[in-house]
Amino acid sequence: MENKDSTEDLPVFVKWFEFLNWLIIAVDKFPKKIRFTVTDRMLNIALDTVELLVVARYSRNKVNSLRDVNLNLEKLRLLLRISYEHKFLSHAGYKQAMYHINDAGRMVGGWIKQQEKT
């Protein structure tokens, strides 16, 4: 029988997992000179975000974790913009990344509003 309370059923988790899978492939194509700085930083922030979503899902005080998720989204936006401006990331790749991040941000923002009402 399927567990409907699973973290994987949360739309924001599904969206973020799609982004994370895309990011892992995208940063592998970045030049080696930045692979252990910028790319590691992006991957670590993206993985931290998954962990924060899990924490938010199972904690009583979800808002703090969700605000940390929003902070991570901002950090990723900045690192991806730098990558795009230095031509490590194509325009199409940058556009796709921003779509995923902005979509996740809207979902997290809605979750925060819902939690603040309760």
Side-chain angles (χ1 to χ4, degrees):
M1 189 162 131
E2 212 174 292
N3 179 3
K4 289 295 181 188
D5 288 335
S6 170
T7 303
E8 293 178 23
D9 291 336
L10 292 172
V12 68
F13 188 84
V14 173
K15 175 61 71 176
W16 196 252
F17 200 76
E18 288 173 11
F19 170 73
L20 186 54
N21 285 326
W22 173 85
L23 184 65
I24 289 167
I25 294 166
V27 298
D28 196 43
K29 299 172 186 168
F30 283 23
K32 288 183 182 178
K33 67 182 179 181
I34 66 156
R35 214 173 275 155
F36 297 108
T37 54
V38 175
T39 57
D40 279 356
R41 185 92 177 214
M42 281 192 278
L43 288 172
N44 286 331
I45 292 169
L47 290 168
D48 288 346
T49 302
V50 168
E51 291 177 12
L52 287 166
L53 289 169
V54 171
V55 169
R57 173 67 179 95
Y58 291 103
S59 67
R60 288 184 187 265
N61 184 4
K62 299 172 185 324
V63 175
N64 290 339
S65 296
L66 294 172
R67 286 194 175 125
D68 288 343
V69 168
N70 271 338
L71 182 59
N72 280 353
L73 297 180
E74 275 306 308
K75 291 176 186 177
L76 281 170
R77 282 184 184 103
L78 178 63
L79 291 170
L80 287 161
R81 181 176 171 192
I82 290 168
S83 298
Y84 171 67
E85 289 178 359
H86 284 273
K87 306 207 184 314
F88 304 139
L89 187 62
S90 70
H91 179 72
Y94 180 69
K95 192 174 173 182
Q96 182 173 357
M98 291 302 107
Y99 168 78
H100 282 287
I101 291 172
N102 291 338
D103 210 19
R106 278 189 292 278
M107 291 178 191
V108 169
W111 197 0
I112 289 171
K113 284 181 185 176
Q114 182 262 333
Q115 288 299 307
E116 289 176 337
K117 287 180 183 177
T118 57

